[in-house]
Amino acid sequence: MTLREQLKELADGSANRHPEKAQDIMRTAIRQLESTTILEQALKTGDIIPEIRLSNANGEIIDIRSILKKHKVVLAFYRGAWCPYCNLELRALQNALPEIEAKGAKLVAISPQTPDNTLTTVEKNELSFEVLSDVDGIVGRKMKLIYTLPSELVELYKSFKIDLKKSNGNLENELPIAATYIVEQDGNISYHFLAEDYKLRADPEDIIKSL
Protein backbone atom coordinates (compact mmCIF):
# COMPACT_ATOMS: atom_id res chain seq x y z
CA MET A 1 0.00 0.00 0.00
CA THR A 2 1.14 3.53 -0.70
CA LEU A 3 1.33 5.99 2.18
CA ARG A 4 -1.71 7.76 0.72
CA GLU A 5 -3.70 4.51 0.92
CA GLN A 6 -2.47 3.77 4.45
CA LEU A 7 -3.48 7.24 5.64
CA LYS A 8 -6.96 6.88 4.17
CA GLU A 9 -7.39 3.48 5.78
CA LEU A 10 -6.35 4.93 9.16
CA ALA A 11 -8.68 7.91 8.75
CA ASP A 12 -11.61 5.65 7.84
CA GLY A 13 -10.92 3.51 10.90
CA SER A 14 -10.67 6.57 13.12
CA ALA A 15 -14.07 7.77 11.95
CA ASN A 16 -15.54 4.44 13.05
CA ARG A 17 -13.74 4.42 16.42
CA HIS A 18 -14.62 7.91 17.64
CA PRO A 19 -18.11 9.17 18.54
CA GLU A 20 -19.74 11.74 16.28
CA LYS A 21 -19.11 14.59 18.75
CA ALA A 22 -15.35 13.93 18.72
CA GLN A 23 -15.34 13.65 14.93
CA ASP A 24 -17.18 16.96 14.67
CA ILE A 25 -14.58 18.71 16.87
CA MET A 26 -11.75 17.39 14.69
CA ARG A 27 -13.51 18.28 11.43
CA THR A 28 -14.33 21.76 12.71
CA ALA A 29 -10.68 22.35 13.67
CA ILE A 30 -9.57 21.44 10.14
CA ARG A 31 -12.19 23.72 8.58
CA GLN A 32 -11.11 26.59 10.83
CA LEU A 33 -7.50 26.14 9.76
CA GLU A 34 -8.55 25.92 6.10
CA SER A 35 -10.28 29.30 6.49
CA THR A 36 -6.97 30.98 7.40
CA THR A 37 -4.17 32.13 5.07
CA ILE A 38 -1.58 29.73 6.48
CA LEU A 39 -1.01 27.95 3.14
CA GLU A 40 -0.57 31.25 1.36
CA GLN A 41 1.98 32.44 3.92
CA ALA A 42 3.97 29.20 4.29
CA LEU A 43 7.29 28.88 2.47
CA LYS A 44 6.96 26.99 -0.78
CA THR A 45 8.66 26.21 -4.10
CA GLY A 46 10.92 29.10 -5.13
CA ASP A 47 11.54 30.33 -1.58
CA ILE A 48 14.82 29.99 0.30
CA ILE A 49 14.87 28.17 3.62
CA PRO A 50 15.98 30.03 6.76
CA GLU A 51 18.88 28.92 8.94
CA ILE A 52 17.99 25.61 10.58
CA ARG A 53 20.14 24.49 13.52
CA LEU A 54 18.34 22.09 15.84
CA SER A 55 19.08 19.34 18.32
CA ASN A 56 18.67 15.73 17.22
CA ALA A 57 17.49 12.83 19.37
CA ASN A 58 20.96 12.49 20.90
CA GLY A 59 21.32 16.15 21.78
CA GLU A 60 23.68 16.96 18.90
CA ILE A 61 23.16 20.21 16.99
CA ILE A 62 22.47 19.55 13.31
CA ASP A 63 22.99 22.39 10.83
CA ILE A 64 20.99 21.93 7.62
CA ARG A 65 23.30 24.30 5.75
CA SER A 66 26.20 21.94 6.49
CA ILE A 67 24.27 19.01 5.01
CA LEU A 68 23.43 21.09 1.93
CA LYS A 69 27.13 21.47 1.14
CA LYS A 70 27.09 17.86 -0.07
CA HIS A 71 23.45 16.85 -0.53
CA LYS A 72 19.94 17.96 -1.28
CA VAL A 73 17.69 17.75 1.77
CA VAL A 74 14.17 16.40 2.15
CA LEU A 75 12.56 18.18 5.12
CA ALA A 76 9.45 16.61 6.67
CA PHE A 77 7.58 18.46 9.43
CA TYR A 78 5.32 16.35 11.64
CA ARG A 79 3.27 16.85 14.82
CA GLY A 80 4.71 14.29 17.23
CA ALA A 81 4.98 10.67 18.35
CA TRP A 82 1.41 10.78 19.69
CA CYS A 83 0.04 11.28 16.15
CA PRO A 84 -0.67 7.96 14.36
CA TYR A 85 -0.66 9.67 10.95
CA CYS A 86 2.82 11.03 11.69
CA ASN A 87 4.09 7.59 12.64
CA LEU A 88 2.74 6.14 9.40
CA GLU A 89 4.51 8.91 7.50
CA LEU A 90 7.82 8.39 9.30
CA ARG A 91 7.80 4.64 8.70
CA ALA A 92 6.96 5.17 5.02
CA LEU A 93 9.84 7.64 4.72
CA GLN A 94 12.16 5.15 6.42
CA ASN A 95 11.15 2.49 3.88
CA ALA A 96 11.83 4.95 1.06
CA LEU A 97 15.15 6.11 2.51
CA PRO A 98 17.40 4.01 0.19
CA GLU A 99 15.71 5.50 -2.88
CA ILE A 100 15.86 9.02 -1.45
CA GLU A 101 19.58 8.68 -0.71
CA ALA A 102 20.19 7.10 -4.13
CA LYS A 103 18.95 10.39 -5.58
CA GLY A 104 21.65 12.24 -3.66
CA ALA A 105 19.42 13.57 -0.87
CA LYS A 106 19.43 13.37 2.91
CA LEU A 107 16.17 13.01 4.82
CA VAL A 108 15.52 15.11 7.93
CA ALA A 109 12.30 15.13 9.98
CA ILE A 110 11.37 18.00 12.30
CA SER A 111 8.77 18.14 15.06
CA PRO A 112 8.02 20.40 18.05
CA GLN A 113 8.70 17.54 20.47
CA THR A 114 11.32 17.81 23.18
CA PRO A 115 14.57 15.88 22.53
CA ASP A 116 13.54 13.09 24.92
CA ASN A 117 10.29 12.55 23.05
CA THR A 118 12.13 12.79 19.74
CA LEU A 119 14.36 9.92 20.87
CA THR A 120 11.24 7.89 21.67
CA THR A 121 9.98 8.51 18.14
CA VAL A 122 13.27 7.37 16.61
CA GLU A 123 13.35 4.18 18.66
CA LYS A 124 9.65 3.41 18.24
CA ASN A 125 9.78 3.66 14.45
CA GLU A 126 13.36 2.36 14.03
CA LEU A 127 14.41 5.44 12.10
CA SER A 128 17.90 5.82 10.65
CA PHE A 129 17.58 9.43 9.48
CA GLU A 130 17.91 12.62 11.50
CA VAL A 131 14.89 13.62 13.59
CA LEU A 132 15.22 17.13 14.99
CA SER A 133 13.52 18.85 17.91
CA ASP A 134 12.01 22.26 17.16
CA VAL A 135 10.85 23.18 20.66
CA ASP A 136 8.51 26.21 20.62
CA GLY A 137 8.36 25.92 16.82
CA ILE A 138 11.19 28.37 16.23
CA VAL A 139 12.03 26.97 12.80
CA GLY A 140 8.41 26.14 12.03
CA ARG A 141 7.57 29.78 12.70
CA LYS A 142 10.29 30.95 10.30
CA MET A 143 8.81 28.61 7.70
CA LYS A 144 5.35 30.04 8.59
CA LEU A 145 3.91 26.61 9.36
CA ILE A 146 2.80 27.11 12.97
CA TYR A 147 -0.78 27.41 14.16
CA THR A 148 -2.57 27.25 17.52
CA LEU A 149 -5.02 24.44 18.20
CA PRO A 150 -8.57 25.49 19.17
CA SER A 151 -9.38 24.89 22.84
CA GLU A 152 -12.05 22.29 22.03
CA LEU A 153 -9.50 20.16 20.19
CA VAL A 154 -6.95 20.53 23.00
CA GLU A 155 -9.53 19.23 25.48
CA LEU A 156 -10.44 16.36 23.16
CA TYR A 157 -6.77 15.40 22.87
CA LYS A 158 -6.52 15.42 26.67
CA SER A 159 -9.36 12.90 26.77
CA PHE A 160 -7.23 10.76 24.43
CA LYS A 161 -4.36 11.05 26.97
CA ILE A 162 -2.42 13.33 24.62
CA ASP A 163 -0.59 16.01 26.62
CA LEU A 164 0.90 18.47 24.15
CA LYS A 165 2.52 20.56 26.88
CA LYS A 166 4.38 17.50 28.16
CA SER A 167 5.26 16.22 24.70
CA ASN A 168 6.40 19.52 23.26
CA GLY A 169 7.37 21.62 26.25
CA ASN A 170 5.23 24.38 24.79
CA LEU A 171 2.45 26.11 26.74
CA GLU A 172 0.62 27.54 23.74
CA ASN A 173 -0.66 24.30 22.13
CA GLU A 174 1.06 25.13 18.85
CA LEU A 175 1.80 22.66 16.05
CA PRO A 176 3.12 22.76 12.48
CA ILE A 177 0.85 21.92 9.58
CA ALA A 178 1.81 18.85 7.55
CA ALA A 179 4.69 20.03 5.35
CA THR A 180 7.38 18.39 3.24
CA TYR A 181 10.08 20.14 1.21
CA ILE A 182 12.90 19.29 -1.15
CA VAL A 183 15.72 21.79 -0.65
CA GLU A 184 18.40 22.19 -3.28
CA GLN A 185 22.04 22.68 -2.28
CA ASP A 186 21.74 26.45 -2.73
CA GLY A 187 18.92 26.54 -0.15
CA ASN A 188 16.14 26.98 -2.69
CA ILE A 189 12.95 24.97 -2.26
CA SER A 190 12.24 22.93 -5.41
CA TYR A 191 9.24 20.94 -4.14
CA HIS A 192 6.66 21.48 -1.43
CA PHE A 193 3.67 19.69 0.03
CA LEU A 194 1.45 21.60 2.45
CA ALA A 195 -1.87 20.59 4.00
CA GLU A 196 -4.11 21.95 6.73
CA ASP A 197 -5.62 18.46 7.12
CA TYR A 198 -3.25 16.46 9.33
CA LYS A 199 -4.49 13.23 7.71
CA LEU A 200 -2.77 14.17 4.44
CA ARG A 201 0.99 13.81 3.84
CA ALA A 202 3.43 13.86 0.95
CA ASP A 203 3.70 10.38 -0.52
CA PRO A 204 7.31 9.11 -0.73
CA GLU A 205 6.68 8.14 -4.36
CA ASP A 206 6.00 11.80 -5.21
CA ILE A 207 9.07 12.96 -3.28
CA ILE A 208 11.34 10.50 -5.08
CA LYS A 209 9.95 11.51 -8.49
CA SER A 210 10.67 15.17 -7.66
CA LEU A 211 14.29 14.65 -6.56
Side-chain angles (χ1 to χ4, degrees), residues 24-63:
D24 187 57
I25 291 172
M26 291 185 280
R27 286 193 295 260
T28 298
I30 292 171
R31 287 197 298 269
Q32 288 175 348
L33 189 55
E34 289 174 339
S35 71
T36 71
T37 59
I38 192 165
L39 288 195
E40 297 171 25
Q41 296 175 358
L43 295 195
K44 49 185 67 73
T45 300
D47 291 326
I48 298 176
I49 64 165
E51 179 183 41
I52 301 177
R53 297 181 74 254
L54 295 170
S55 175
N56 67 8
N58 298 314
E60 303 166 328
I61 298 299
I62 303 300
D63 188 336

Side-chain angles (χ1 to χ4, degrees), residues 182-208:
I182 294 174
V183 184
E184 300 296 321
Q185 288 187 251
D186 60 3
N188 276 284
I189 296 169
S190 60
Y191 165 93
H192 73 270
F193 173 93
L194 302 167
E196 303 104 330
D197 187 342
Y198 57 84
K199 301 187 296 298
L200 304 176
R201 308 297 165 104
D203 196 288
E205 291 183 2
D206 296 333
I207 296 170
I208 291 165

